[in-house]
Amino acid sequence: MNNVTGLTCRECGQEYPIAPLHVCETCFGPLEVMYDYEYIRRHLTRQVIASRPPSLWRYRELLPVSEEPRVGLHSGFTPLVKADRLAAYLGVKELYVKDDSVNHPTFSYKDRVVSVAISKALEFGFDTVSCASTGNLANAVSAHAARAGLRCFIFIPSDLEQGKIIGSAIYGPRTLGIRGNYDDVNRLCSEIADKYGWAFVNINIRPYYTEGAKTYGFEIAEQLGWRLPQHVIVPTAGGTILPKIAKAFEELKKLGLVESSLTPKIYTAQAAGCAPVVQALHKGSDLIAPVKPHTIAKSIAIGNPADGYYVLRAVRDSGGWGEAVTDEEIIAGIQLLAQTEGIFTEPAGGTTVAVTKKLIEQGRIARGESIVICITGNGYKTIEAVAEKVEQPFIINARLQDFDALYNTLTPTVPLRVGETELH
Ligand SMILES: *Cc1c(COP(=O)(O)O)cnc(C)c1O
Ligand SMILES: [Zn+2]
């Protein structure tokens, strides 16, 4: 395929060949994949896309692989759920949840970026893949590496949730739990990548990895019937997915796959205990001051986000905004999504739901316009976050009279009401 023309520096524009490179030798700017959009326009139509299997590879001309993809054949194409009960609760008209909590095979948006990264690592001939991770990336790298038959080393902060740790270990990688936070892990991994020459999906093959995140945006548009929504709320950790959703929308416009009149407003969602991007946004600054994370939203606890600047730029260019919410609001957000839509997300998703609620209450998101909430991870991996917040089972013997006795003591339960009579 001749869809890709090379790499280019996002800051100075210097061009590089397709290789495992990620920073510009001249200015240290990040490198990005360049495409031949004329070639893509001729080969990628709505009909071609519709004829392909429901995976992220249906947009393969817009991804930086040249051979047949070998991993992630069932990743992506997750549901876009019309969230009418949550919409009624929030008092808005048209609301959707893009639900990567059920991405195949490791239940987060990271299956997208890793599918592309490991397919590319195989093309480059690497025999070992690795990553610095807050949990979900480690899960995805471990699973996709197992499937590809690659050696795998993962590096995580030592204090992650059990679900995230076991959810990697089961696939048989070597796991290194580093005493420190993600930013410490990442610094160490940069040194290891240089010294050992492994494919670190989010370091030395980062330009390819990040492109996989665009598929989240392509799917939103396709699943809306090739329309763009007016508002999209996205969680931010290292800052990969948000600018790539913006890029996805731009590419679809450029290729004429969607109407070009609308620019979706994009909003960044962070936890108050780790909100360096939102703080810079609120200050009107381009400089992101690193913070020391302290939040239950561990998968988005990155205090020094590699692509934070590009998040700011994408948010501002779109006319969007951003907010941060407390751990308490995050838990309420998890419960709200579960009890209105039957979707159990992790704290990153609770953050996005809570920020959406806040932005609607602030009047930043108009109640009559179309809104997509980005749910990026699964709550079954982080049960610690809500274990004490839910009702525990009543333990009884297997006797009808025991149930009768208990039942008469219970306060009536009703489903969470939405609309006119709101229960909070
Ligand atoms: C990694 C991750 C994100 C966002 O990360 P970026 O680095 O900003 O792309 C969001 N939610 C979950 C659950 C994640 O694992
Ligand atoms: Zn440069």
Side-chain angles (χ1 to χ4, degrees):
M1 244 188 350
N2 299 312
N3 56 328
V4 170
T5 59
L7 296 174
T8 180
C9 173
R10 289 175 82 163
E11 294 308 319
C12 76
Q14 181 158 339
E15 296 185 5
Y16 295 85
I18 290 296
L21 300 170
H22 69 120
V23 282
C24 176
E25 284 166 10
T26 317
C27 76
F28 301 107
L31 302 183
E32 184 165 50
V33 176
M34 282 186 301
Y35 295 89
D36 177 350
Y37 289 107
E38 278 314 310
Y39 173 91
I40 296 171
R41 192 194 303 275
R42 286 196 304 276
H43 290 83
L44 191 68
T45 61
R46 289 183 186 178
Q47 289 71 25
V48 167
I49 294 167
S51 73
R52 291 176 174 170
S55 83
L56 60 90
W57 294 111
R58 61 206 271 115
Y59 317 100
R60 58 174 294 186
E61 284 81 356
L62 287 161
L63 296 170
V65 292
S66 45
E67 297 165 14
E68 274 304 305
R70 282 188 271 170
V71 296
L73 302 184
H74 302 277
S75 300
F77 222 73
T78 56
L80 182 75
V81 176
K82 183 118 197 300
D84 288 338
R85 268 174 53 80
L86 181 56
Y89 182 91
L90 295 174
V92 297
K93 195 161 142 244
E94 190 184 357
L95 180 70
Y96 304 86
V97 169
K98 176 60 176 167
D99 188 10
D100 264 19
S101 77
V102 290
N103 211 345
H104 180 86
T106 66
F107 308 103
S108 87
Y109 115 78
K110 297 303 196 302
D111 285 314
R112 301 176 182 278
V113 278
V114 170
S115 297
V116 176
I118 294 190
S119 292
K120 201 64 195 175
L122 287 166
E123 287 183 11
F124 285 139
F126 284 101
D127 63 3
T128 305
V129 292
S130 191
C131 66
S133 172
T134 55
N136 283 320
L137 182 59
N139 296 167
V141 170
S142 304
H144 291 270
R147 167 107 173 159
L150 291 167
R151 209 162 69 112
C152 179
F153 281 78
I154 60 165
F155 296 83
I156 51 177
S158 59
D159 69 345
L160 289 188
E161 303 93 341
Q162 277 289 298
K164 297 272 172 72
I165 295 172
I166 314 268
S168 293
I170 194 66
Y171 305 106
R174 272 273 127 77
T175 306
L176 285 297
I178 308 301
R179 291 184 205 97
N181 59 37
Y182 173 83
D183 301 288
D184 301 315
V185 177
N186 196 43
R187 208 170 335 103
L188 170 67
C189 286
S190 297
E191 293 173 341
I192 296 173
D194 283 345
K195 181 163 175 186
Y196 286 79
W198 300 337
F200 271 83
V201 300
N202 56 338
I203 301 176
N204 53 346
I205 55 171
R206 188 172 180 86
Y208 311 96
Y209 159 91
T210 56
E211 286 290 288
K214 292 189 306 189
T215 60
Y216 195 98
F218 297 150
E219 289 172 20
I220 290 173
E222 184 182 357
Q223 291 169 320
L224 285 173
W226 295 113
R227 260 190 325 136
L228 297 179
Q230 286 161 294
H231 306 274
V232 186
I233 305 91
V234 190
T236 293
T240 295
I241 188 171
L242 187 148
K244 291 296 174 173
I245 291 174
K247 182 177 178 186
F249 294 157
E250 283 312 308
E251 286 184 335
L252 295 179
K253 285 187 193 177
K254 193 180 328 209
L255 295 168
L257 289 166
V258 294
E259 299 303 323
S260 61
S261 53
L262 180 83
T263 297
K265 292 191 165 79
I266 304 185
Y267 305 82
T268 169
Q270 294 202 293
C274 183
V277 175
V278 168
Q279 281 160 10
L281 183 71
H282 287 191
K283 269 198 286 193
S285 167
D286 266 349
L287 283 183
I288 293 174
V291 302
K292 222 178 162 62
H294 190 76
T295 169
I296 57 161
K298 296 185 184 191
S299 62
I300 51 170
I302 296 184
N304 188 12
D307 288 325
Y309 169 72
Y310 297 103
V311 173
L312 284 178
R313 220 163 72 177
V315 165
R316 288 186 182 132
D317 288 351
S318 78
W321 186 239
E323 274 300 342
V325 286
T326 64
D327 284 0
E328 216 165 87
E329 291 173 296
I330 290 169
I331 289 167
I334 295 173
Q335 290 175 313
L336 178 59
L337 184 64
Q339 293 174 22
T340 52
E341 297 299 333
I343 295 170
F344 184 15
T345 188
E346 64 154 85
T351 304
T352 314
V353 171
V355 164
T356 303
K357 179 166 177 281
K358 199 162 175 174
L359 291 166
I360 292 166
E361 286 165 0
Q362 288 173 351
R364 290 214 175 244
I365 294 179
R367 292 177 187 272
E369 299 185 340
S370 54
I371 306 167
V372 174
I373 299 181
C374 298
I375 294 301
T376 47
N378 193 302
Y380 290 94
K381 292 189 193 182
T382 56
I383 49 174
E384 295 93 330
V386 291
E388 322 252 274
K389 305 284 170 182
V390 296
E391 186 173 276
Q392 298 301 312
F394 299 92
I395 309 294
I396 60 169
N397 293 323
R399 276 201 312 249
L400 181 59
Q401 71 203 65
D402 286 22
F403 176 73
D404 290 341
L406 173 73
Y407 185 76
N408 288 323
T409 69
L410 294 177
T411 49
T413 62
V414 287
L416 182 69
R417 283 281 158 71
V418 297
E420 281 154 34
T421 48
E422 285 183 8
L423 283 181
H424 288 270

